Amino acid sequence: MPADPASDPTSRRRTPDPFDGAGLRPLRLPDAEAVRQAFAADPQMARQGDVDGLESARAYVLHVTDASRGRHAAAIDVDGEAVGVVGLRITAEDRRGWLFYWVRPEHRGRGLASAAAATTAHHALSTPVDETLPPPATPALDGDRPVTGLERLELGHRADNPASGVVARAAGFVREGLERGKFLVDGERVDVVTYGRLRDDPAPSTRLLPWGQAPVPD
């Protein structure tokens, strides 16, 4: 009698994990070509920065990783390639950070942006390792490690980009308001939806990505 397909182990196939090979690592200058390709692939990326070639992509990487100005950015890495960026602009005296993120078009819809934002928020809102000590005067900002020591995170997205709001909520952010007509896009005023997350807000159930396991490109 032939084996029952439902009980035959060889007939059961593993569901692909959308996060296979994915993680966060420091964004570096060798990622500039991947950044250039991302901006070239989607005209809407122009809202993220002025990148129209390799040199401007290098300038973008240096800009978003400039620790001297409170900036930190990680590559969303899949199998050794940067397919997106998640970053923070930090106001140290307030222990507050502005979170931003983007993913290349062909890697959207997998939950990578949500996972990267949730992971960055998880680390950024964590306290120092030794919680018996007073908090540091400024957040811990080291390009090789996640940011820690913040107490509030903020982000915003255009009201006509609801997918970004899905990412924000998946990362534990709470909608706080609406900035009416903030941006001028193609001659029309566009509203911006604002979000915040505090250290003591409930953590989301969104799956987190590993940090630093992916190799930095040559």
Side-chain angles (χ1 to χ4, degrees):
M1 178 180 293
D4 181 357
S7 62
D8 183 359
T10 62
S11 70
R12 296 195 297 270
R13 296 183 179 180
R14 175 177 174 267
T15 302
D17 186 340
F19 292 173
D20 271 352
L24 296 181
R25 60 165 173 79
L27 184 70
R28 295 284 189 252
L29 271 178
D31 294 310
E33 173 57 20
V35 170
R36 184 199 67 78
Q37 292 177 15
F39 275 77
D42 182 1
Q44 295 299 319
M45 285 289 293
R47 303 296 303 185
Q48 295 286 344
D50 185 14
V51 174
D52 57 7
L54 188 57
E55 286 305 311
S56 54
R58 291 191 178 111
Y60 173 88
V61 172
L62 291 174
H63 176 76
V64 298
T65 59
D66 187 352
S68 69
R69 296 188 176 185
R71 297 171 183 152
H72 181 279
I76 304 171
D77 188 289
V78 176
D79 296 328
E81 181 183 10
V83 303
V85 168
V86 57
L88 287 165
R89 297 194 298 270
I90 295 167
T91 304
E93 59 269 25
D94 292 329
R95 295 181 193 160
R96 172 171 53 89
W98 179 271
L99 183 74
F100 67 92
Y101 43 80
W102 56 260
V103 175
R104 286 171 58 169
E106 64 270 31
H107 290 275
R108 294 171 188 167
R110 300 171 53 183
L112 287 172
S114 295
T119 303
T120 301
H122 167 78
H123 289 296
L125 295 172
S126 64
T127 55
V129 175
D130 187 349
E131 297 187 10
T132 65
L133 299 176
T138 59
L141 183 59
D142 181 339
D144 292 326
R145 297 181 179 86
V147 172
T148 60
L150 299 180
E151 296 177 357
R152 174 177 165 83
L153 295 177
E154 301 168 344
L155 64 83
H157 69 81
R158 287 165 43 180
D160 58 357
N161 182 20
S164 190
V166 172
V167 173
R169 292 186 293 275
F173 284 75
V174 177
R175 177 169 171 161
E176 293 184 335
L178 182 73
E179 296 179 295
R180 297 176 300 152
K182 182 171 186 178
F183 293 141
L184 182 63
V185 180
D186 297 329
E188 295 186 7
R189 307 301 313 184
V190 177
D191 297 342
V192 169
V193 185
T194 60
Y195 290 79
R197 180 175 167 184
L198 301 177
R199 178 178 287 177
D200 56 0
D201 282 342
S205 60
T206 301
R207 181 175 166 187
L208 304 183
L209 294 175
W211 171 272
Q213 296 183 9
V216 175
D218 295 329

